[in-house]
Amino acid sequence: MRPPSELRVSKDRRTLTVLFDSHAPIPLEAEFLRVVSPSAEVQGHSPEQRVTVPAKRNVAISKIEPVGNYAVRIVFDDGHDTGIFSWDYLHTLGHERETRWQAYLDELAAKGLSRG
């Protein structure tokens, strides 16, 4: 996947908009990005180890750091900074956002957790 033509963080630091050539802009909320972070801390090393991350409703993006020509590291204001978001993963999140978000909300409910 080619790199996006632009990554834009909103003024309130709560939305990252990803622009790929010939695609509509993909707005991704900081909370969503935080709870689907590709880090081992969130995803674990197998599906059984995946963690449901609660109470991130008010998380914001502190900064974005390039990782080679294939990804960015998103640093969140809660200190989380180990997720490397590849262009492919950001593209996938844009296309699967509704499904993944609903799955997250369902997991929170099933575990008695909240968005905070």
Side-chain angles (χ1 to χ4, degrees), residues 81-96:
D81 65 356
T82 58
I84 296 176
F85 292 77
S86 70
W87 309 142
D88 284 336
Y89 190 55
L90 288 171
H91 189 267
T92 297
L93 290 178
H95 288 282
E96 297 178 2

Side-chain angles (χ1 to χ4, degrees), residues 93-113:
L93 290 178
H95 288 282
E96 297 178 2
R97 189 211 173 281
E98 296 304 321
T99 303
R100 288 178 184 237
W101 182 247
Q102 189 57 56
Y104 169 68
L105 295 176
D106 293 346
E107 284 179 24
L108 285 177
K111 295 179 179 181
L113 301 171

Side-chain angles (χ1 to χ4, degrees), residues 8-109:
R8 185 183 314 138
V9 178
S10 63
K11 289 183 182 183
D12 67 1
R13 315 294 294 172
R14 300 207 186 267
T15 304
L16 171 65
T17 301
V18 184
L19 291 107
F20 288 101
D21 291 337
S22 73
H23 284 71
I26 301 170
L28 299 167
E29 298 82 6
E31 178 186 10
F32 176 66
L33 291 167
R34 176 62 178 87
V35 302
V36 298
S37 172
S39 69
E41 176 186 329
V42 174
Q43 298 301 325
H45 296 287
S46 69
E48 298 78 32
Q49 293 179 337
R50 197 172 65 72
V51 175
T52 303
V53 181
K56 296 301 174 185
R57 182 188 303 264
N58 296 314
V59 75
I61 297 167
S62 294
K63 64 181 172 178
I64 297 175
E65 303 170 336
V67 177
N69 292 322
Y70 69 95
V72 289
R73 177 186 326 275
I74 300 176
V75 179
F76 297 92
D77 67 355
D78 67 352
H80 182 74
D81 65 356
T82 58
I84 296 176
F85 292 77
S86 70
W87 309 142
D88 284 336
Y89 190 55
L90 288 171
H91 189 267
T92 297
L93 290 178
H95 288 282
E96 297 178 2
R97 189 211 173 281
E98 296 304 321
T99 303
R100 288 178 184 237
W101 182 247
Q102 189 57 56
Y104 169 68
L105 295 176
D106 293 346
E107 284 179 24
L108 285 177

